[in-house]
Amino acid sequence: MPVLTTGADREALTFTLEAEFAASPERVWQLWEDPRLLEKWWGPPGWPATFVRHELRPGGESRYYMTGPDGTRAGGWFSTVSTDAPSTFTFRDGFAGEDGEPVDPEDHSTTTVVITPDGDVTHMTLTATHRSLEQLEQVLEMGMEEGMTQAMNQIDALL
């Protein structure tokens, strides 16, 4: 299982996930860059993601939805702030409405992903910084820690 640690820091308003993969940084980067690969792991098991738009480049926009076992759709969006392939990128993300557009563009978290080679493996650290304690608590109550862990643990099968 690739996920090594997860945790929330309520004082810093962050959620951090650390994972390790038996693949090159370039291959791990592709899992984020290619929307068809991203679809295969972004949602937790039982909630597959569908990306209708995905641009992993500064200023790029992404729109997606996850579909639950009962057909329920949960929409989300990314706005890419910066990239330095294959080592790091930062994006803002939040909830999207049925039209795929942000429900409230100001109600977002900012996530930085750092991909680092270490011998035969690649480490990935994902740090999501939230705008308020209430926002962090909301996503934790929605099961973000468990969902992200389950989602990331699907990556080995793709590598």
Side-chain angles (χ1 to χ4, degrees), residues 9-88:
D9 181 335
R10 285 167 173 80
E11 286 185 25
L13 305 177
T14 59
F15 170 78
T16 302
L17 180 145
E18 295 181 25
E20 180 179 271
F21 304 100
S24 69
E26 293 79 10
R27 183 68 178 131
V28 173
W29 181 271
Q30 286 177 338
L31 294 170
W32 286 97
E33 186 176 49
D34 182 334
R36 301 300 73 92
L37 290 174
L38 188 56
E39 287 176 335
K40 293 180 180 180
W41 68 268
W42 182 249
W47 282 84
T50 300
F51 278 78
V52 294
R53 181 177 177 189
H54 184 60
E55 303 164 336
L56 187 60
R57 60 172 174 72
E61 296 289 328
S62 300
R63 302 293 185 266
Y64 70 94
Y65 59 88
M66 294 183 292
T67 306
D70 64 356
T72 302
R73 284 189 176 187
W77 61 273
F78 298 165
S79 178
T80 305
V81 176
S82 63
T83 62
D84 184 13
S87 57
T88 188

